[in-house]
Structure formats: C-alpha cells, structure tokens
Amino acid sequence: MSACSTVDPCLCPLCGQANRCAMEASPGQATEPCWCTREQFTAALLQQIPAAAKGKACICQACVQKAAQTT
C-alpha cells in the first residue's frame, strides 16, 4: 500500500502540518468546540483539498487564516 493512499485525519491536506482538530483528536467525547467551528471556510479554499482527503482531513487554522487574508 502506498503512503499516498492513506489520509491522516490529523494533518492538513493542504500544507501537511497538524490541523489540531479537536473533533478528530477526541472523537465522540464532549469537549469544547474545535477552533474550526468559529472559522469561515471559503468555497475557493475547500476546492483546494485533494479529492482523496475530502471529508477525511481538516484544513489547519494557518491555511484558513492565510486564505482569508488573500480574499
């Protein structure tokens, strides 16, 4: 199996850094909402996610903020 065929849900699919998604780090546990629930994800940003990672890995906060600065 190729390393590229496996998506790590804890890594940003755009930059490869830790996405620090609280929902992925502790699935099913009642914790404080993740930072991502307070962010705006533009359609243009979401379109950059590779098809293999869609619905499987969260974009990191740095990539979300970088996209917000360029729009």
Side-chain angles (χ1 to χ4, degrees):
M1 175 173 21
S2 165
C4 294
S5 65
T6 305
V7 175
D8 186 336
C10 294
L11 298 180
C12 176
L14 302 180
C15 70
Q17 298 300 312
N19 58 26
R20 292 183 173 82
C21 178
M23 292 181 282
E24 191 56 49
S26 54
Q29 294 182 6
T31 61
E32 193 172 312
C34 183
W35 64 267
C36 66
T37 63
R38 298 178 295 274
E39 293 288 340
Q40 291 287 92
F41 292 80
T42 65
L45 179 62
L46 294 174
Q47 289 174 352
Q48 295 177 37
I49 301 172
K54 288 188 181 199
K56 296 178 182 168
C58 295
I59 298 170
C60 73
Q61 194 169 20
C63 285
V64 173
Q65 291 175 347
K66 180 179 176 184
Q69 291 173 355
T70 60
T71 56

